Amino acid sequence: MTSKTVLTSPNAELRVISSEFPKEEFGTKETAAFTRDLIETMRVENGIGIAAPQVGVHKRVIIVDVGNNKPQAFFNPKITSKSFTKIESEEGCLSVPGVFGIVKRHRSVTVTAQNIKGLNETFRAEGLMAIVFQHEIDHLDGILFIDKVTRYTSHPKL
Ligand code: ZN
């Protein structure tokens, strides 16, 4: 298990749109190792979520710590439905160290994704979990939370 270097903004790699996680890579040793490394990187950095592009891999994989210290990998995650209601909360990002700000997101989302074996699963997330899913899936499209901040709560330039 190796912790990888997390790329930080304004690194252009963070703005690349990630491609679908390829079918043929499910169930391989490489995928298992990469997933473990991504989880380890998130743990070392004390994150509750991480996306592959944050370590320079442009494939659609995210890790979400779903609570109880049980990080889970989601491959090709897609938001299939979202609540009309939005909530505002303070966010930060491993790729934007020292910066925190208020972001408005859907209060609940339904996410379909493949698990590490390539099997489809559907998850319903609310509150913090819903926010983490939206934040991490944004990374796969090259979007950072600072693009959506309505008010900074902590910024080196404040
Ligand atoms: Zn982030």
Side-chain angles (χ1 to χ4, degrees):
M1 220 159 31
T2 348
S3 150
K4 297 183 178 291
T5 306
V6 175
L7 305 176
T8 55
S9 179
N11 191 314
E13 299 255 348
L14 293 167
R15 298 305 190 170
V16 174
I17 296 175
S18 293
S19 45
E20 285 287 294
F21 191 85
K23 269 197 194 86
E24 59 274 17
E25 289 184 21
F26 283 106
T28 64
K29 265 187 269 175
E30 289 75 15
T31 296
F34 176 67
T35 304
R36 281 195 300 270
D37 289 351
L38 207 49
I39 290 171
E40 179 63 8
T41 307
M42 184 188 81
R43 278 200 173 123
V44 166
E45 304 272 345
N46 287 313
I48 51 171
I50 194 168
Q54 291 182 273
V55 297
V57 175
H58 300 113
K59 292 177 188 169
R60 303 186 82 86
V61 189
I62 61 169
I63 306 291
V64 176
D65 192 338
V66 294
N68 303 325
N69 206 22
K70 270 194 189 155
Q72 225 174 300
F74 300 87
F75 297 78
N76 299 320
K78 275 186 201 76
I79 293 172
T80 50
S81 77
K82 48 202 175 192
S83 62
F84 176 76
T85 314
K86 290 188 169 185
I87 45 169
E88 284 189 318
S89 71
E90 188 183 52
E91 292 186 25
C93 179
L94 301 179
S95 293
V96 196
V99 175
F100 294 88
I102 306 298
V103 182
K104 201 185 238 189
R105 299 201 188 260
H106 300 284
R107 202 183 70 80
S108 63
V109 290
T110 304
V111 177
T112 49
Q114 286 160 292
N115 65 16
I116 196 159
K117 293 174 182 161
L119 301 172
N120 284 311
E121 289 181 342
T122 300
F123 305 84
R124 175 142 176 95
E126 283 190 20
L128 178 62
M129 280 277 306
I131 291 162
V132 178
F133 269 114
Q134 290 168 84
H135 177 120
E136 301 310 333
I137 291 171
D138 271 354
H139 274 297
L140 304 179
D141 294 316
I143 299 165
L144 298 176
F145 87 100
I146 47 173
D147 304 343
K148 296 184 169 177
V149 161
T150 52
R151 177 171 57 88
Y152 284 105
T153 49
S154 167
H155 195 292
K157 286 177 192 152
L158 279 184

